[in-house]
């Protein structure tokens, strides 16, 4: 599998994940550019990777974390994070606006690590094992975060 | 939204919006351009470098083999174990004279040469001094 094929299959999901993680589509574009450059530079590794999707998401996550650290140190150099609920609503499709608004606001209130697992599970369609690889945690930890995140989300949506 | 399955169903019905195709192209082409700009070793240069490395390794290996062979030759010359047939014949003539107190006998000499070769094969000795000791047994 080469880089173009991978990008065709998961490019949308990558961008969506980064946009929600960074709360900014412009920052997500910058980070995705950096991810592409790294993947082009180390393309020989694809031959030895069993799960290229999880690998690419892991690279993207690491780049996003690096970006967030840098943004914390020099906030004036970067765009400020937009309203997360609005970003989530703008980047997802599939249900009517009223319900989407509710879901987006509820997701924005879920703790960040739990929200990340929910987004990767439902929107990026990764398995829990892949999510554990991406987030560099054990499967049990990923599973717990998913469970608690879903509980929190149900409480917020039941409201 | 009280039912747990409904929340999951709701989330499963959501999907990310597609990336604009021009953005995909732009991201990949910029990445490739940046990669080419920062490339120190071009593909052709890389191949030349690999071939040079292989040649250097081969040179070292052949050098070791030649040195080893030369060392063996020198050792042989120093202790006489690879002396030519003619020298063997001349030395054995002296040994025959010493052992048997006879005049030079060609058949005896040939017998001694055969004995020498047999003993050499069984690696009993490596120099001529031990020939005398073995023949005296």
């Amino acid at each position: 599998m080469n880089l173009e094929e991978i990008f065709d299959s998961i490019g949308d999901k990558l961008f969506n994940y980064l946009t929600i993680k960074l709360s900014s589509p412009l920052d997500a574009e910058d980070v995705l550019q950096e991810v592409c450059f790294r993947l082009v530079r180390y393309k020989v590794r694809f031959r030895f990777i069993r799960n290229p999707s999880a690998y690419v998401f892991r690279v993207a996550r690491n780049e996003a974390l690096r970006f967030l650290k840098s943004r914390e140190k020099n906030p004036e150099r970067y765009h400020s994070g937009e309203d997360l609920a609005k970003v989530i609503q703008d980047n997802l499709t599939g249900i009517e606006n009223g319900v989407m608004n509710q879901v987006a606001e509820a997701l924005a209130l879920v703790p960040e690590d739990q929200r990340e697992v929910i987004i990767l599970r439902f929107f990026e369609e990764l398995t829990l094992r892949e999510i554990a690889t991406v987030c560099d945690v054990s499967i049990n930890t990923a599973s717990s975060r998913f469970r608690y995140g879903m509980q929190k989300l149900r409480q917020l949506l039941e409201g | 939204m009280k039912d747990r399955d409904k929340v999951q169903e709701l989330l499963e019905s959501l999907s990310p919006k597609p990336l604009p195709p021009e953005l995909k192209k732009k991201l990949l082409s910029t990445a490739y351009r940046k990669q080419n700009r920062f490339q120190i070793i071009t593909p052709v240069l890389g191949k030349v470098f690999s071939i040079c490395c292989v040649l250097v390794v081969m040179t070292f290996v052949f050098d070791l083999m030649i040195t080893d062979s030369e060392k063996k030759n020198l050792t042989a010359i120093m202790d006489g174990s690879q002396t030519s047939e003619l020298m063997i014949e001349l030395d054995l003539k002296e040994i025959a004279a010493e052992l048997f107190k006879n005049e030079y006998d060609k058949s005896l000499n040939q017998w001694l040469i055969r004995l020498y070769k047999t003993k050499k094969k069984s690696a009993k000795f490596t120099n001529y001094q031990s020939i005398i000791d073995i023949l005296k047994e």
Side-chain angles (χ1 to χ4, degrees), chain A residues 4 7 12 15-16 29 32-34 40 90-93 95 100 103 122-123 150 153-154 158, chain B residues 1-2 4 7-8 10-17 19 23-24 26-27 30-32 34-35:
Chain A
E4 285 77 11
F7 210 71
D12 308 332
F15 184 70
N16 178 60
E29 200 177 309
L32 194 53
Q33 181 65 76
E34 191 56 37
V40 162
D90 289 343
N91 277 278
L92 295 173
T93 181
I95 52 177
M100 176 73 87
V103 171
F122 286 108
F123 308 147
M150 288 303 292
L153 202 57
R154 275 202 314 279
E158 278 174 5
Chain B
M1 306 205 185
K2 291 174 187 175
R4 179 170 172 265
V7 173
Q8 282 196 339
L10 188 63
L11 291 172
E12 279 164 7
S13 65
L14 292 169
S15 58
K17 281 185 183 166
L19 207 57
L23 181 58
K24 268 190 201 174
K26 176 191 157 196
L27 288 169
T30 308
Y32 281 120
K34 195 174 173 184
Q35 158 73 357

Side-chain angles (χ1 to χ4, degrees), chain A residues 1-15 32 35-36 38-40 42-60 124 126, chain B residues 19 24 27-28 32:
Chain A
M1 210 175 190
N2 63 23
L3 181 60
E4 285 77 11
E5 286 168 3
I6 289 171
F7 210 71
D8 282 338
S9 66
I10 62 170
D12 308 332
K13 295 173 185 174
L14 263 179
F15 184 70
L32 194 53
V35 169
C36 286
R38 280 186 180 272
L39 296 175
V40 162
Y42 300 117
K43 63 178 180 271
V44 68
R45 293 182 187 179
F46 280 125
R47 281 180 227 168
F48 307 108
I49 296 169
R50 255 190 301 180
N51 192 340
S53 300
Y55 173 76
V56 170
F57 267 101
R58 177 92 181 249
V59 171
E124 280 33 291
L126 298 183
Chain B
L19 207 57
K24 268 190 201 174
L27 288 169
L28 282 173
Y32 281 120

Side-chain angles (χ1 to χ4, degrees), chain A residues 59-126:
Chain A
V59 171
R61 186 176 186 269
N62 291 341
E63 277 305 316
L65 291 175
R66 220 169 278 143
F67 183 88
L68 284 170
K69 232 184 235 181
S70 164
R71 191 162 76 179
E72 264 175 48
K73 284 183 190 171
N74 301 300
E76 65 278 0
R77 283 175 61 190
Y78 299 96
H79 312 102
S80 61
E82 295 171 23
D83 176 41
L84 182 58
K86 186 174 178 307
V87 166
I88 294 172
Q89 195 173 352
D90 289 343
N91 277 278
L92 295 173
T93 181
I95 52 177
E96 58 178 11
N97 279 343
V99 179
M100 176 73 87
N101 195 29
Q102 252 182 315
V103 171
E105 281 179 3
L107 267 175
L109 292 171
V110 172
E112 208 269 327
D113 52 352
Q114 294 169 10
R115 180 175 59 241
E116 185 176 26
V117 175
I118 291 172
I119 287 166
L120 287 169
R121 178 74 185 84
F122 286 108
F123 308 147
E124 280 33 291
E125 295 170 347
L126 298 183

Side-chain angles (χ1 to χ4, degrees), chain B residues 76-89:
Chain B
I77 289 166
M78 295 299 282
D79 65 14
S81 61
Q82 285 190 9
T83 312
S84 67
E85 293 285 329
L86 182 61
M87 286 189 67
I88 294 170
E89 205 168 312

